[in-house]
Amino acid sequence: MPGDAQTDEIVTAVWHSRRPLHPARLFEAVDELVTESVRSRGRFWMANRPGQLLAWDAVAGIVSVEDAGPWLAALPGAAWEPVSPARRTAATLDWDPERGDRVQHLVFTGPDIDRDRIWTLLDSCLIDQGDILPGAAAWARYDDPFAPVLNLEESA
């Protein structure tokens, strides 16, 4: 994944977090997030979908959110063997003893990006510290406005 960079005209800013995203908060922020940059992409996890690595791809105000398969942490060790060496290496670089390879990693590119504004918006979409204690059992019950798109892909 690329890192932060800036030229005379273009800014690339990378947002990274270990806490999961709240699905409803992220859904509310999508329109604003996709209009803040020309291009954004990356991987993320929502609290109510702890096994799914989700892919974010946005260009010119249009966003695609897709199921990109399981997080390696959600798989038994034997299932790692057919996974590409590049993916296994990336997972080990991001590995956390509690969360495995689950991570927020979104990259925004465009002219005059207001990095602080995007980060504040994304941070507001994260699970609150108080929500961390109940954990996955409580998170699974969150309303999921992404379900029509993500569940459609699952049933196809």
Side-chain angles (χ1 to χ4, degrees), residues 19-120:
R19 289 192 351 235
L21 290 160
H22 188 288
R25 289 184 209 144
L26 177 61
F27 191 80
E28 288 295 317
V30 166
D31 287 342
E32 192 171 343
L33 287 169
V34 299
T35 58
E36 285 294 316
S37 66
V38 173
R39 176 93 164 102
S40 58
R41 63 185 314 186
R43 62 186 189 263
F44 67 102
W45 68 298
M46 287 191 295
N48 63 319
R49 295 176 179 267
Q52 284 183 298
L53 186 159
L54 297 169
W56 172 282
D57 193 4
V59 178
I62 299 172
V63 67
S64 169
V65 172
E66 296 179 342
D67 181 350
W71 291 102
L72 295 185
L75 298 174
W80 284 41
E81 206 164 303
V83 174
S84 75
R87 174 119 186 259
R88 288 193 312 257
T89 300
T92 58
L93 292 173
D94 277 334
W95 199 263
D96 177 84
E98 291 179 34
R99 295 172 180 95
D101 58 332
R102 293 175 186 96
V103 65
Q104 315 299 353
H105 199 119
L106 297 174
V107 180
F108 295 81
T109 304
D112 302 320
I113 288 178
D114 184 345
R115 180 180 178 202
D116 292 337
R117 185 166 186 261
I118 294 172
W119 279 205
T120 298

